[in-house]
Every structure is written in structure tokens, then in C-alpha cells.
Amino acid sequence: RNHVWEKGNSVDTLFGKKVLILGTGDIGKNVAARLRPFGVHITGVKRNVAGIKGKTDKECKEYFDEIFSIDELDRILLNMDIVTGCLPGTKETAGLFNEARLRTMKKDAVLINVGRGSLIPGEALKKMLVEGHLGGAILDVTEEEPLPADSPLWDLPNLLITPHVSGNYHMRQILDTVVKIAGENLEAFLDGKELVNEGDLCTGYRKFKA
């Protein structure tokens, strides 16, 4: 804007970084696929590793270098440079990244959330960023949306906020894809065939197909 070419501060690279992706579903896999060309080591975390069998196992290994159960989260967090939340909003994931867990993260690590805002309590995140425990954070989702104008998160220099526009049909491609899936599922339902992306209302996740 000022027509000034500035070198700015020193920057870091993604190459060689250890990345943890919470959630190995569609969002997690897409994040992993976009990170892969940058030479990072990608670890996935999911609810039930024992549930990965056959074809599903191969699909996950295409995107992740290793996969662990969410029960091992605290141990894994210690060594991660970048942590990305891609989890749905359930009673188990709400507040998962509280202050205690944020403190187990590597100092100067970067925390990203593109799943549901309930994963990270805003006050806890603010405290960690103000203290300088985390290198920074990027939020596409927040506890309250839209984020209130008086939220202190807006003014934190080490926090980037994006407006959660990847959903809600802001992109025509998303609407077209959803309509296509719904149409195909309607036909499958009427024909007594297996549905695609069928949700499990008890867990909040997609139903696992054996």
C-alpha cells in the first residue's frame, strides 16, 4: 500500500517441521495433502486407531506419516511445531485445548484451528499468546461466531483470524458438491443401497464403514 519494499523480520520455513493434525477425516486429509509438498512430517490423531482397518488404513497412510489415538495426545504434543485442529464439535472435543493442555505444547509452536471453535477456550488461548508461550495462532473458527467486536483476540499481534467462509455455501463449489452428494444419497436410499458420508448422531462423526 505504501509502495515500500521491506525485508521485514526473519522468517521460518515449513520444511522439516513436525505437524500434528487432530482429526483424520476429510478436513484433516485435505490439510495434510496441502502440507505434504512442503517437506513436513505429518502426524494424525483420531479417536480410535484400532478402528483403522483395510482400505481406510491405506487411505490414512496416504496422507499421514503416523497415526495415534487421541488418548496419546499429551505425549505427542510435546514435540510438535504446528498443531492443527480439524475436529467436529462434540462434548468430548469441547475445551480439549484448555490452558493445561496448551502449556504442554512446545514453546513457540503454532496452533491452528479450522474445525470447531469450541475446541479452544478463548481466554486460555489469549493467556498463552500474551505470555509468549506459543509462537502464534491462526483461527478460522472461534468459541463465539461471529467474534464479538470487543473481543481481546482481535488485537493480539501473534494471532491471525480468518472469517470462516469455507463453509455455509460461500463457495459455489461447496454448494454443488453438497447437492450432488444429497442427490446421490437420495437415490441410494430409495434403492436400498449404502449411503455416502452418513453421520452418526450419537458420536457427531461420520459412521465408520467396516
Side-chain angles (χ1 to χ4, degrees):
R1 181 178 296 168
N2 295 324
H3 297 205
V4 176
W5 188 308
E6 293 181 327
K7 292 184 178 179
N9 299 321
S10 62
V11 296
D12 204 349
T13 175
L14 283 171
F15 184 78
K17 290 291 188 292
K18 294 180 179 179
V19 178
L20 176 64
I21 298 178
L22 295 153
T24 60
D26 288 336
I27 298 177
K29 287 176 183 175
N30 274 281
V31 171
R34 283 155 178 76
L35 282 170
R36 177 67 69 194
F38 292 95
V40 299
H41 184 276
I42 304 175
T43 299
V45 163
K46 63 179 298 175
R47 285 184 308 143
N48 182 15
V49 174
I52 309 176
K53 299 292 182 183
K55 181 181 177 183
T56 306
D57 186 34
K58 294 177 182 177
E59 288 174 353
C60 286
K61 286 184 175 179
E62 181 182 343
Y63 299 94
F64 304 95
D65 294 300
E66 54 187 355
I67 299 174
F68 293 95
S69 165
I70 199 165
D71 295 334
E72 300 183 73
L73 178 58
D74 289 329
R75 178 181 66 81
I76 299 168
L77 271 177
L78 296 172
N79 301 312
M80 294 298 161
D81 301 300
I82 301 169
V83 177
T84 303
C86 304
L87 293 169
T90 69
K91 63 181 182 180
E92 288 81 14
T93 62
L96 187 66
F97 270 73
N98 53 27
E99 182 179 337
R101 184 157 279 120
L102 290 173
R103 287 195 182 279
T104 67
M105 289 180 63
K106 184 178 178 181
K107 186 173 174 61
D108 295 331
V110 174
L111 177 62
I112 303 168
N113 193 15
V114 295
R116 291 292 180 266
S118 57
L119 181 72
I120 311 170
E123 274 301 313
L125 178 61
K126 173 195 165 188
K127 188 173 183 180
M128 294 299 96
L129 291 173
V130 169
E131 288 183 9
H133 179 73
L134 296 178
I138 302 170
L139 301 180
D140 188 50
V141 289
T142 55
E143 273 189 301
E144 186 179 351
E145 293 185 13
L147 189 64
D150 60 354
S151 171
L153 294 179
W154 288 112
D155 300 315
L156 296 177
N158 47 358
L159 172 63
L160 295 177
I161 300 172
T162 52
H164 200 181
V165 295
S166 58
N168 229 12
Y169 312 132
H170 288 281
M171 289 187 290
R172 179 70 198 185
Q173 296 96 321
I174 298 295
L175 178 60
D176 290 344
T177 300
V178 169
V179 170
K180 181 175 182 293
I181 293 173
E184 292 175 349
N185 267 345
L186 179 58
E187 289 185 3
F189 177 76
L190 294 174
D191 293 339
K193 297 180 180 178
E194 185 176 288
L195 304 182
V196 175
N197 292 348
E198 185 178 0
D200 187 329
L201 298 180
C202 295
T203 65
Y205 290 79
R206 184 168 52 188
K207 282 187 177 180
F208 175 74
K209 304 293 185 181

